[in-house]
Amino acid sequence: MSAKPVILTGDRPTGRLHLGHYVGSLMQRVQMQDDYRQYILIADLQALTDNGHNPDKVTQSVLEVMADYLAVGLDPEKTTFCLQSELPALPELTMYYMNWVTISRLERNPTVKAEIKQKGFERSLPAGFLTYPVSQAADITAFRAEYVPVGDDQLPMLEQTNEIVRKFNSLAGRDVLTECKPVLSKVSRLPGADGSAKMSKSLGNAIQLAASADEIKQSVMSMYTDPEHLRVEDPGKIEGNVVFTYLDAFHPDQDYVAELKAHYQRGGLGDMKCKRILNDCLQTMLEPIRARREEAMQDPAHLMAILKQGTEKAREVSGNVLADVKKAMGLDYFSKF
Ligand code: ATP
Ligand code: MG
């Protein structure tokens, strides 16, 4: 039997999913679900590492994220959806892995470092937040994931995961855990509509998959372009011009986008016209997603049933990996003696 390779990805249920998730990870997951054994983890424990004071936001977002998944075309027949807090192997693996990771290594993780600064934690940094890369290593290894489709902010997490895998395997003297490889998309970091470095739930600069036609239009019309492009006839800059970044990411006709860019750069093409083209493109793309999403939200019990069924399968898979890890560490007392 030639088993399909395993992929694991996940999202934190801290709000609805947005265009950054779509282009950075969801589109690849939809494409890959036929040829891989795909697990998608709703990382509610990880969401609590910076939302411990607001667990309601996390629990409410679980359904929203499930609806987003089905709306973009992820298929429960091909993809296993699972819930982190219902998989006891994950926190247990995290506890073991914690012993092979130093505080200074955690503090050096560039994504975590940037997030700590952005969230202004200072001395009130939750211990769970600093250590979330370890819990992410548990998530990835518990499924023996070989590939992880992610945005580029996640590369440091995969690096840390593989360090843990190598350390553990060398201690065990055999390959108990599996190393993973990132799969980056064409756009591995979509900027926010305001031109900030990354579209993100916590920065409030996101266009959600659930956005209404008016919300989409409003975001596009207020998008950052070239501040020095004052008159239509002036040449404009496309570097850092968010409208063109989005046209690159989402427009189905890239030859047309190349023509638009050339026109903009030589002068004679107005920002308003470009924004209208982008608005049409996003409206066409998001309309069917929004409709499927609304339909999915009509039946929360069905969404939960899909998640429950996937979680049961994931419990078995992750439980087996945990048993291997414990055995490799000699913690299989009751079958040894
Ligand atoms: P939060 O602000 O709560 O951290 P987020 O919007 O950054 O939310 P995550 O749940 O942290 O989203 O990320 C889930 C996945 O989506 C990761 O693989 C991440 O790299 C990817 N992703 C998130 N935002 C973007 C983006 N703007 N561009 C590309 N990929 C993204
Ligand atoms: Mg994030």
Side-chain angles (χ1 to χ4, degrees):
M1 194 186 82
S2 82
K4 293 176 181 175
V6 178
I7 17 181
L8 179 283
T9 54
D11 298 285
R12 293 156 24 93
T14 54
R16 295 168 174 172
L17 300 184
H18 56 62
L19 286 181
H21 298 118
Y22 188 60
V23 75
S25 178
L26 294 173
M27 280 162 84
Q28 299 171 78
R29 299 183 200 176
V30 174
Q31 278 162 13
M32 293 174 88
Q33 66 180 343
D34 287 314
D35 302 321
Y36 293 80
R37 269 178 296 160
Q38 172 159 260
Y39 294 90
I40 297 186
L41 181 75
I42 300 191
D44 58 338
L45 292 182
Q46 194 184 115
L48 287 169
T49 62
D50 59 342
N51 286 279
H53 57 289
N54 194 4
D56 281 357
K57 176 164 126 194
V58 174
T59 52
Q60 277 168 19
S61 301
V62 170
L63 279 178
E64 301 276 357
V65 169
M66 272 304 289
D68 285 324
Y69 289 153
L70 299 192
V72 297
L74 288 163
D75 176 355
E77 298 286 323
K78 300 174 183 165
T79 292
T80 304
F81 301 100
C82 49
L83 187 61
Q84 195 179 30
S85 60
E86 287 291 334
L87 299 171
L90 304 183
E92 194 171 338
L93 285 172
T94 306
M95 281 304 282
Y96 298 135
Y97 295 173
M98 211 82 93
N99 300 316
W100 302 302
V101 179
T102 63
I103 297 286
S104 70
R105 177 66 183 88
L106 288 163
E107 285 172 343
R108 272 201 315 276
N109 183 307
T111 298
V112 178
K113 215 165 148 175
E115 288 172 340
I116 289 173
K117 202 165 162 213
Q118 176 213 321
K119 291 171 198 284
F121 281 135
E122 301 197 356
R123 290 299 296 161
S124 49
L125 171 66
F129 193 87
L130 183 66
T131 54
Y132 89 71
V134 184
S135 118
Q136 210 163 315
D139 303 341
I140 295 168
T141 54
F143 293 90
R144 300 195 194 286
E146 294 157 84
Y147 298 97
V148 186
V150 282
D152 69 358
D153 60 324
Q154 294 299 307
L155 295 177
M157 310 305 163
L158 305 196
E159 212 175 286
Q160 257 194 291
T161 299
N162 286 337
E163 283 172 27
I164 292 172
V165 169
R166 287 192 289 267
K167 203 166 276 183
F168 186 79
N169 287 347
S170 93
L171 280 170
R174 62 188 171 89
D175 284 351
V176 180
L177 298 175
T178 308
E179 283 195 51
C180 65
K181 292 190 189 69
V183 185
L184 284 176
S185 74
K186 180 179 84 159
V187 184
S188 59
R189 186 174 299 203
L190 187 76
D194 55 356
S196 60
K198 185 185 159 207
M199 178 176 285
S200 154
K201 278 171 275 165
S202 23
L203 293 174
N205 60 7
I207 301 179
Q208 296 177 347
L209 297 176
S212 68
D214 279 349
E215 285 167 339
I216 298 167
K217 189 166 173 205
Q218 216 176 14
S219 288
V220 172
M221 292 306 157
S222 63
M223 239 174 217
Y224 183 83
T225 56
D226 170 6
E228 283 160 33
H229 184 235
L230 300 175
R231 291 175 309 169
V232 174
E233 57 274 26
D234 291 341
K237 270 211 297 285
I238 54 168
E239 298 77 29
N241 185 323
V242 183
V243 174
F244 284 102
T245 309
Y246 279 47
L247 285 170
D248 277 339
F250 298 109
H251 202 286
D253 185 350
Q254 287 296 310
D255 291 339
Y256 176 59
V257 173
E259 275 172 38
L260 286 176
K261 282 183 183 168
H263 191 178
Y264 192 82
Q265 284 173 309
R266 67 174 184 267
L269 179 61
D271 281 357
M272 226 25 219
K273 170 108 191 273
C274 301
K275 286 181 173 178
R276 272 201 294 270
I277 296 167
L278 177 62
N279 181 53
D280 288 346
C281 152
L282 294 181
Q283 298 286 358
T284 308
M285 185 177 92
L286 289 176
E287 200 212 50
I289 294 179
R290 181 168 60 235
R292 282 195 296 269
R293 201 186 179 287
E294 273 168 22
E295 196 188 317
M297 283 304 280
Q298 302 283 313
D299 194 352
H302 179 62
L303 289 177
M304 228 15 118
I306 294 173
L307 186 56
K308 181 162 181 252
Q309 197 182 22
T311 303
E312 275 156 15
K313 180 172 161 194
R315 199 175 287 141
E316 195 181 321
V317 174
S318 55
N320 289 337
V321 173
L322 174 66
D324 284 353
V325 164
K326 290 181 76 168
K327 187 156 182 239
M329 290 193 298
L331 299 174
D332 54 338
Y333 306 102
F334 300 140
S335 50
K336 249 192 326 201
F337 299 105

